[in-house]
Amino acid sequence: MKRPPQIPLNQFQLAILLNDDEKQFYNAVLAENVFCRSCAGSVAKGVTVTEIHLTDLNDLLVRGNCKVCKGLVARTFEFGDKKAFYDRAMKFRKDIS
Ligand SMILES: [Zn+2]
């Protein structure tokens, strides 16, 4: 099967796509569980998100800046592994196309 393209998401679209559990997980991870190379550890004060993408595997790829050092950070959320999310993402792609 052909993989769908990677598409950028805005905050509004992200809010539609994630259920409450996923939102909680997303926020918790971005608050403290992203590796920052310049800090050589987890981001201590969270991430300022600059880009969100829905990848060809229906994972979320988030890019942003560490709030402590402003260094570039990125994190993938493997939501596409979960069938419920995958199906929701495919429907979302159809709705916005
Ligand atoms: Zn940092």
Side-chain angles (χ1 to χ4, degrees), residues 10-43:
N10 61 36
Q11 291 287 350
F12 179 71
Q13 292 169 321
L14 182 74
I16 293 174
L17 202 52
L18 298 183
N19 68 24
D20 288 349
D21 282 352
E22 290 155 357
K23 264 175 211 159
Q24 216 167 30
F25 177 70
Y26 173 91
N27 287 329
V29 167
L30 290 186
E32 57 187 15
N33 210 351
V34 177
F35 184 79
C36 173
R37 218 176 296 164
S38 0
C39 293
S42 292
V43 293

Side-chain angles (χ1 to χ4, degrees), residues 55-94:
T55 74
D56 60 346
L57 296 174
N58 284 332
D59 290 334
L60 284 186
L61 170 63
V62 177
R63 293 185 203 282
N65 297 95
C66 168
K67 283 187 183 172
V68 174
C69 72
K70 313 287 183 212
L72 291 175
V73 294
R75 168 83 194 212
T76 303
F77 294 80
E78 289 172 354
F79 287 147
D81 288 355
K82 297 196 288 178
K83 188 174 185 318
F85 181 86
Y86 189 93
D87 291 348
R88 215 183 307 135
M90 291 311 280
K91 184 182 179 305
F92 172 81
R93 288 173 179 276
K94 219 163 113 186

